[in-house]
Amino acid sequence: MVKLWQGESAQWRMELELNGEGTALSLRMKEGRVLSVCLGGQPTENTLRRAAAKAVKVLRELGADSAVLDAAPAVEALGPEGAAALAQGAELACYRQPSWKEGEDKPFALYLTGAEGLEGALARADAVTRAVCFARDLVNCPANLLTPEDMARRMAQTAGGLGIEVEILDGTRTRELGMGAYHAVADSAVHPPRLIVLRWRGGKKGAPPIALVGKGVCCDTGGYCLKTAAGLKGTRGDMAGGAAVCGALLALAENNIPVNAVAVIPAVENRLSADSFLPGDVIRSMSGKTIQVNNTDAEGRLILADALTYAIRQEGAAKIVDIATLTGACVATLGFTTAGLLTNHEGLFLALMNAAKRAGEQYWRFPDFPEYHKMIESPVADLCNQSSDGCGAITAGLFVGAFAENLPWVHLDIAGTAWVDRPRWEYQTAGATGAGVSTLYELCRGLADGT
Ligand code: BES
Ligand code: ZN
Ligand code: ZN
């Protein structure tokens, strides 16, 4: 927990040496209980976040339960955001995933000096940090403890308490709406699906919202194209996109950001049942486009297709960002630190990249040449759900984009960044990362400011 220093006693003192010697982010123990944190190069928000996280992790390993840090050098270099970045790094590094074991972890308190008067900036950053941790909590939850219904209930409870309008559509309603691609997947499971809709109306009355559409597959067995035993182990994290868009809305609401944003989360399970969908099936999406199913494990793009159509036709979205743990191909290409991106709109692309920079997340844009579009054509339907010629991350994204009805659209594939068995950045802990929350929040905040 990060607090402003009020003269409490703390076990350790941390010193921040900006432009210190040596490589970036080294730690040095000094006489007494002093930990010196050296940043090699110019400080950025992200290096401060990483430095605070690393220091706090080391102190916790040493058994410490408190430390005091002078934030003044960070504030001098970067303004209030410098102190906010330190607080955020420390808080995220202290995250512990939900555990069903007995016994509590020792809490850790970091006190900041030199950040007096910056309570507002710290509180705003804290809202984002807690939203990231909310997303981590959901993604860390195993599939037996988080069905689509459970996810809907937990999101509704938290969002509802913050003035976010919540609508949960059950299977009867989504079937009435003609969401055939969504139901092809949803009907493979006994646990019923939920279409979760969260509306934050902080902006001008009647102004069309930005839609944040997040994949909410609570477990992905692959269906009849069954995953291997190793593949099935990672099945719980397949709703990380849904968790990210919910987290972003929570932070927007807590910080009262003047923007209209709607989160749409198709929550389903991709399982096996006697009559679940099969490779070769031809299904009709809500948009009217027909889809040939080549692979039942490519389920994310099917539910996202209908969720995009829902966002456009029922919610009047003006622009769309979809976010999903969509493809193994994206992990193979960009690894665990960088998410894939596709877009049809330069302005929204630039806004997203600016937001990512502020949030300290990495995205890389894939090309969308005409030959990639051809790879998802089908001889018998308008589209097919698996490429005939590789390029899995690109073709999956283009499939989703085919349902954007030419509105500004950005697609984010977080298959690699949403979950880490071992942390890749200091402020991560093993398991869910909360990928996407802060970038989506910053994107919407930027749209509100007109920046
Ligand atoms: N949820 C998976 C993608 C995934 C893989 C996420 C690994 C995280 C880690 C997705 O539904 C999937 O199974 N995609 C297939 C698509 C293929 C069958 C066209 C894939 O990437 O193998
Ligand atoms: Zn799958
Ligand atoms: Zn999946």
Side-chain angles (χ1 to χ4, degrees):
M1 202 220 286
V2 181
K3 291 189 236 169
L4 288 183
W5 175 253
Q6 306 279 348
E8 296 89 342
S9 64
Q11 282 183 318
W12 281 77
R13 192 155 64 79
M14 275 160 47
E15 283 176 355
L16 201 55
E17 270 184 47
L18 302 186
N19 293 317
E21 283 172 24
T23 54
L25 283 190
S26 54
L27 303 185
R28 221 170 344 125
M29 300 292 174
K30 286 196 183 166
E31 66 289 342
R33 296 201 156 204
V34 181
L35 179 69
S36 177
V37 187
C38 315
L39 292 186
Q42 278 296 318
T44 64
E45 280 177 43
N46 212 36
T47 49
L48 288 173
R49 228 178 255 128
R50 291 176 56 192
K54 186 166 176 171
V56 164
K57 278 186 177 174
V58 166
L59 290 185
R60 292 196 81 171
E61 269 166 33
L62 290 171
D65 58 27
S66 58
V68 59
L69 168 66
D70 184 12
V75 176
E76 203 172 299
L78 295 174
E81 301 308 319
L86 289 173
Q88 200 162 44
E91 203 81 73
L92 289 174
C94 286
Y95 173 81
R96 290 288 179 267
Q97 61 169 291
S99 165
W100 293 270
K101 258 202 304 213
E102 286 190 17
E104 265 290 291
D105 216 39
K106 242 180 27 177
F108 185 89
L110 178 67
Y111 301 103
L112 292 181
T113 61
E116 294 75 15
L118 303 181
E119 290 84 351
L122 287 172
R124 281 191 298 279
D126 188 52
V128 180
T129 309
R130 280 184 286 106
V132 171
C133 294
F134 173 86
R136 286 183 182 180
D137 277 349
L138 285 186
V139 178
N140 278 326
C141 214
N144 68 322
L145 300 179
L146 194 81
T147 63
E149 270 182 297
D150 295 329
M151 189 157 85
R153 191 177 331 106
R154 285 177 64 171
M155 287 181 173
Q157 252 164 18
T158 311
L162 293 172
I164 294 170
E165 194 180 298
V166 180
E167 191 180 353
I168 311 285
L169 285 74
D170 66 11
T172 311
R173 181 76 191 110
T174 46
R175 212 181 296 279
E176 272 169 19
L177 286 168
M179 300 181 70
Y182 168 80
H183 273 283
V185 183
D187 296 350
S188 71
V190 172
H191 295 137
R194 292 288 182 262
L195 186 73
I196 305 164
V197 183
L198 309 172
R199 303 183 190 98
W200 168 244
R201 300 185 205 269
K204 283 199 201 79
K205 216 173 164 204
I210 178 170
L212 308 178
V213 181
K215 173 177 175 182
V217 175
C218 291
C219 74
D220 181 10
T221 68
Y224 274 99
C225 302
L226 189 61
K227 288 187 183 294
T228 59
L232 280 168
K233 255 183 70 185
T235 181
R236 73 169 76 164
D238 212 16
M239 29 59 71
V245 298
C246 177
L249 246 69
L250 298 180
L252 289 173
E254 281 220 35
N255 290 341
N256 206 11
I257 303 296
V259 69
N260 291 337
V262 56
V264 179
I265 302 148
V268 302
E269 292 183 338
N270 188 24
R271 289 207 190 230
L272 265 170
S273 71
D275 65 348
S276 36
F277 70 133
L278 289 170
D281 285 1
V282 175
I283 58 181
R284 181 177 296 275
S285 67
M286 180 181 179
S287 71
K289 282 190 164 79
T290 54
I291 303 164
Q292 181 182 20
V293 176
N294 281 345
N295 193 312
T296 60
D297 199 8
E299 83 295 343
R301 65 201 75 179
L302 298 178
I303 64 170
L304 287 172
D306 276 351
L308 254 66
T309 305
Y310 174 89
I312 296 166
R313 299 194 185 168
Q314 300 293 122
E315 301 292 327
K319 23 175 119 62
I320 303 160
V321 180
D322 79 81
I323 178 163
T325 46
L326 205 61
T327 64
C330 187
V331 192
T333 312
L334 298 173
F336 297 95
T337 59
T338 306
L341 185 155
L342 271 165
T343 182
N344 62 3
H345 193 272
E346 297 308 311
L348 193 57
F349 169 63
L350 289 178
L352 190 289
M353 293 307 275
N354 276 327
K357 194 167 176 201
R358 289 198 294 276
E361 290 194 315
Q362 296 181 164
Y363 294 85
W364 198 256
R365 184 176 179 175
F366 290 128
D368 67 341
F369 299 122
E371 58 270 29
Y372 298 124
H373 291 266
K374 289 211 162 310
M375 292 177 194
I376 47 172
E377 286 178 358
S378 155
V380 297
D382 295 317
L383 291 163
C384 72
N385 81 331
Q386 183 184 27
S387 156
S388 56
D389 204 13
C391 311
I394 298 173
T395 50
L398 291 179
F399 181 98
V400 179
F403 296 84
E405 303 189 17
N406 293 321
L407 290 170
W409 159 79
V410 168
H411 160 74
L412 306 174
D413 191 337
I414 55 167
T417 56
W419 184 278
V420 287
D421 285 334
R422 108 187 124 73
R424 299 306 196 281
W425 303 109
E426 290 79 356
Y427 43 77
Q428 294 178 332
T429 52
T433 60
V437 173
S438 49
T439 294
L440 293 175
Y441 166 79
E442 287 292 344
L443 173 71
C444 295
R445 193 171 73 90
L447 293 175
D449 291 340
T451 53

